Amino acid sequence: MEPVDDDRNRAGVCAVRPGTDLGRHARMLSRLHDAVLSGDARPDDTARGRRLVTRSWDRVRAQGVDPDAGEPPGPLDAAVVEQRRATSPLVPVLPALRAALTSVAEDARHVMVVCDADGVLLWREGSTAVRRRADALGFTEGAEWSEQSVGTNAIGTALAEGGPVQIFSAEHFVRSHHGWTCTAAPVHDPRSGELLGVVDLSGPAETIHPTTVALVDTAVRLAEAGLWQRHEARLDALRTIGAPMLAGDTGPGLVVDDHGWVAAASGLPGVERVAAPVPERLIAVHGLGPCLPEPVPGGWLLRPASGGSRRMRLRLDLDGRPPQAVIEGTTRWVHPLSTRHAEVLVLLARAGASGLDAATLSQGLYGDRAHLVTVRAEMSRLRRNLGGILLARPYRIAPEVELDLTGLAGSRVVRESTAPGVAALRRD
């Protein structure tokens, strides 16, 4: 009996198929767990592990997690937990998460857990009996359930993978967790792609059901939709301030929020987002050139800097540590890049004006088309920093930006890259 990791479940998220003999499958996973950790050949009657779980086990073994570990490190002090709760960006959508999951958790002998981006449990609700069992594992408010702390588990693995995860029985790396099943999905800020936290349903192993993945994923999508609605409401409020301000100005300009989302525009139709403004720092805006942000209530006014040119030039310095994007016009500014963001810019530079969609970028970065959520989150973060330099639908470098690709193929990033689309440059 094989786990669900086939074309019908491309990401290998669901741990079992409907109708699975759970006891038999749990015993098979236990034998596989023992064989892998002992270094012995896998028993002939054990199925291969799911790729998602195999990746996680590789990570936690490299981090030195003990499969026989007891409880996670002691939970944070109650005062620290309360502070994290008070500042959590998930507070506004807690009612929606509770409405979607708490009653289901109680009926299905589960607990609903909401964690922050570090994997620290902030809220836990649901079955009283299951909560008592969870206490014995240290699965309590203030405990950290990252992979580094407790090995493979839905919360920590969802953080590491950047997508929904279901873990059943001995797929958990730590043996004391084998009596459990858990299903989790990360919540992202729809404005920036930033990881905000994780929502999880956990319970006894025998309570697992494939539909739990869809249930948790739907609850997360509702939460993200709620966050987007709040964002739109704030933009509407900013628009009432910014539109009259721009109407009294003779030149082009934008009014944007702190994340660079455009509330009002004059002389620049169709602009949706620019780089996140930073006080007293010039930013490059496609169609305007270098702009110096001016604070307004709830956001920023962007107008061309005095003497600014609308023509920009992008040079990728890919030999430094870290690599850098250098934007030049009448002014010059430098943005440090992660290796992954540098690889993205290399792929977009090669694509030219036609650009790349998320699936093609996933193929170039990871060798498959399954990492759409991760790609979109990375692009959202990169566009937040580079703003009008990058356009979307498809992702591409703005046509008014001149590209300097001198030395691209021989750069350090290309030489060391494991991304298939970037490594291909070495063979061109």
Side-chain angles (χ1 to χ4, degrees):
M1 211 282 311
E2 289 192 359
V4 182
D5 198 7
D6 56 18
D7 288 341
R8 288 165 292 180
N9 181 41
R10 295 180 187 279
V13 175
C14 294
V16 299
R17 295 189 181 100
T20 294
D21 183 329
L22 297 179
R24 179 184 176 192
H25 188 42
R27 290 190 294 272
M28 181 276 292
L29 290 172
S30 182
R31 292 194 298 271
L32 179 60
H33 184 278
D34 291 343
V36 171
L37 294 186
S38 67
D40 296 336
R42 298 179 181 180
D44 292 339
D45 60 342
T46 61
R48 60 181 174 81
R50 289 191 291 151
R51 289 188 289 274
L52 179 150
V53 176
T54 299
R55 290 195 299 270
S56 177
W57 282 12
D58 288 344
R59 286 193 297 267
V60 302
R61 293 175 76 184
Q63 292 166 341
V65 177
D66 182 1
D68 296 308
E71 295 184 11
L76 299 174
D77 291 340
V80 177
V81 175
E82 284 301 321
Q83 182 182 19
R84 287 192 175 222
R85 286 174 172 170
T87 58
S88 171
L90 296 179
V91 169
V93 294
L94 271 179
L97 292 172
R98 287 174 172 139
L101 297 176
T102 299
S103 62
V104 174
E106 291 173 346
D107 293 342
R109 295 167 56 207
H110 277 64
V111 290
M112 181 197 77
V113 166
V114 179
C115 304
D116 64 16
D118 297 321
V120 174
L121 275 66
L122 298 184
W123 293 277
R124 188 186 66 161
E125 302 174 4
S127 167
T128 302
V130 176
R131 275 188 282 146
R132 284 197 293 266
R133 289 184 59 176
D135 290 342
L137 288 178
F139 193 55
T140 60
E141 292 89 337
E144 181 189 330
W145 276 67
S146 65
E147 282 190 339
Q148 187 171 359
S149 292
V150 295
T152 302
N153 72 97
I155 293 170
T157 305
L159 287 171
E161 293 280 332
V165 171
Q166 186 175 57
I167 301 294
F168 171 68
S169 186
E171 290 182 327
H172 289 91
F173 188 74
V174 175
R175 288 187 172 89
S176 60
H177 303 165
H178 288 185
W180 287 77
T181 183
C182 47
T183 305
V187 184
H188 293 92
D189 188 330
R191 300 168 302 176
S192 64
E194 177 187 1
L195 177 67
L196 303 180
V198 172
V199 176
D200 169 83
L201 280 180
S202 291
E206 64 271 16
T207 64
I208 188 173
H209 199 283
T211 59
T212 308
V213 174
L215 177 64
V216 173
D217 190 52
T218 298
V220 166
R221 289 177 184 273
L222 288 172
E224 291 177 343
L227 292 171
W228 183 257
Q229 289 171 355
R230 290 174 60 85
H231 161 66
E232 289 186 322
R234 286 190 292 266
L235 279 186
D236 285 341
L238 181 57
R239 191 169 294 117
T240 62
I241 297 171
M245 189 177 299
L246 292 175
D249 203 334
T250 57
L254 302 171
V255 173
V256 303
D257 70 3
D258 287 338
H259 292 268
W261 289 94
V262 176
S266 175
L268 287 170
V271 179
E272 183 180 70
R273 190 181 183 189
V274 301
V278 177
E280 299 182 1
R281 172 181 161 182
L282 283 168
I283 63 172
V285 177
H286 176 54
L288 285 182
C291 295
L292 186 64
E294 304 173 37
V296 299
W300 302 87
L301 172 63
L302 302 180
R303 291 180 293 197
S306 177
S309 168
R310 297 191 182 187
R311 195 72 180 171
M312 291 178 286
R313 183 168 175 264
L314 171 64
R315 178 170 60 85
L316 300 180
D317 179 0
L318 302 182
D319 283 314
R321 295 183 185 272
Q324 298 175 329
V326 182
I327 294 88
E328 298 170 331
T330 54
T331 60
R332 179 180 184 274
W333 57 282
V334 177
H335 177 70
L337 300 167
S338 67
T339 298
R340 179 60 78 206
H341 284 174
E343 291 170 335
V344 167
L345 289 175
V346 168
L347 293 175
L348 293 180
R350 292 195 71 201
S354 59
L356 301 171
D357 61 18
T360 308
L361 263 178
S362 176
Q363 185 72 48
L365 293 171
Y366 301 101
D368 60 49
R369 302 171 74 86
H371 290 73
L372 299 183
V373 173
T374 302
V375 165
R376 289 179 180 129
E378 291 287 357
M379 287 305 304
S380 184
R381 284 189 285 270
L382 186 55
R383 291 187 68 213
R384 180 183 178 187
N385 289 308
L386 296 184
I389 298 293
L390 297 181
L391 304 180
R393 302 189 190 97
Y395 298 118
R396 63 199 187 280
I397 295 171
E400 293 183 9
V401 176
E402 296 178 357
L403 282 173
D404 180 353
L405 304 181
T406 305
L408 185 66
S411 66
R412 180 186 64 81
V413 166
V414 172
R415 291 196 310 271
E416 299 177 1
S417 177
T418 58
V422 178
L425 271 175
R426 299 197 292 266
R427 302 189 295 271
D428 288 353

